[in-house]
Amino acid sequence: MEWSLLFNAFIGIVAILNPIGNVPIFLEHVENDEPKVQRAVAVLMALSIFIMLTVFFIFGTHILSLFGITLPAFRLAGSVIILIVGLRMLQGKSKFDPAGIETASAQGGTFTQARNRLSHILVPVAMPLFMGPGSITTVVLYAEKVKTFPMFVMMILVLLAATAVVGVCLVVSRSIFNLLGTNGTQIVIRFMGMILCAIAMQFMIDGVAQLLPGVLNANFIHGAV
């Protein structure tokens, strides 16, 4: 068993998912929900991320090629969505939900409310913030290194462990931001909005660099992400 590969995969996947950095974005989208609904959304979000990671781990490039989508195109599309999210957060207008969604999401039991909320924030929170081009590229690259069935099973468990870390961070997100207070939370949200805009620009640079190799300055390209 290649334990070093499994450990490296776990660290790499957790890093690219960036659960701590994405906590403010998740909390900003569910701040009007009850704590128990937030926790249920966090669990469903983590489960959704695990399913998407597993699907791309198993099928990966076949999915993109099936729709005729190249990774550079996926990078550029993801960067546009992230840029919109970041700009809205900077302006304090990061709610994507149109009128009526808040009321609809508040109807029913905890699980029903959580499911309704998740359906409205799956994009852009789960994808492309958690499950972006970097995450897809990472799991596809690790999938290419798996040669045996036991390693395949262990890698699935690694994906489960990595998404469990994400779930824990999202579940305790309210506690983290209760320590910061309203003003502190807004400051962090706007700061993360600026970071998201920068991430979007980096995705754009990387996507263009893949389309036009050798044209852009290699010092500003993240080839593996």
Side-chain angles (χ1 to χ4, degrees), residues 3 14 21 52 62 106 110 187 191 206 214 219:
W3 296 107
V14 170
M52 287 187 287
H62 299 291
T110 299
I187 290 172
F191 174 75
D206 294 343
N219 293 327

Side-chain angles (χ1 to χ4, degrees), residues 138-214:
T138 300
V139 296
V140 169
L141 290 177
Y142 279 114
E144 293 177 352
K145 299 180 180 180
V146 174
K147 305 301 181 182
T148 64
F149 181 74
M151 277 297 293
F152 173 83
V153 174
M154 292 300 296
M155 195 63 73
I156 296 296
L157 294 178
V158 166
L159 297 180
L160 180 61
T163 50
V165 173
V166 172
V168 170
C169 290
L170 296 182
V171 166
V172 302
S173 59
R174 174 174 283 269
S175 299
I176 295 173
F177 280 89
N178 280 341
L179 298 176
L180 297 177
T182 302
N183 291 335
T185 300
Q186 290 302 315
I187 290 172
V188 172
I189 287 174
R190 281 164 173 76
F191 174 75
M192 289 306 302
M194 184 63 195
I195 296 298
L196 281 182
C197 289
I199 291 174
M201 291 298 100
Q202 187 63 60
F203 278 169
M204 287 185 182
I205 292 172
D206 294 343
V208 173
Q210 285 185 290
L211 293 173
L212 304 172

Side-chain angles (χ1 to χ4, degrees), residues 50-65:
F50 169 70
I51 292 174
M52 287 187 287
L53 281 175
T54 303
V55 169
F56 278 104
F57 176 75
I58 297 174
F59 301 106
T61 54
H62 299 291
I63 295 177
L64 297 180
S65 61

Side-chain angles (χ1 to χ4, degrees), residues 54-160:
T54 303
V55 169
F56 278 104
F57 176 75
I58 297 174
F59 301 106
T61 54
H62 299 291
I63 295 177
L64 297 180
S65 61
L66 177 64
F67 293 98
I69 301 173
T70 62
L71 201 57
F74 191 82
R75 286 180 184 271
L76 292 173
S79 69
V80 172
I81 296 176
I82 294 175
L83 180 62
I84 293 173
V85 176
L87 291 175
R88 287 177 177 266
M89 290 178 68
L90 283 172
Q91 299 170 0
K93 301 177 181 179
S94 51
K95 288 285 188 285
F96 276 78
D97 301 342
I101 287 180
E102 295 290 346
T103 301
S105 298
Q107 297 176 349
T110 299
F111 178 78
T112 300
Q113 293 181 49
R115 186 181 58 189
N116 291 338
R117 169 59 63 205
L118 180 67
S119 67
H120 295 298
I121 68 172
L122 200 60
V123 175
V125 180
M127 180 178 282
L129 294 183
F130 282 105
M131 277 299 301
S135 304
I136 292 174
T137 304
T138 300
V139 296
V140 169
L141 290 177
Y142 279 114
E144 293 177 352
K145 299 180 180 180
V146 174
K147 305 301 181 182
T148 64
F149 181 74
M151 277 297 293
F152 173 83
V153 174
M154 292 300 296
M155 195 63 73
I156 296 296
L157 294 178
V158 166
L159 297 180
L160 180 61

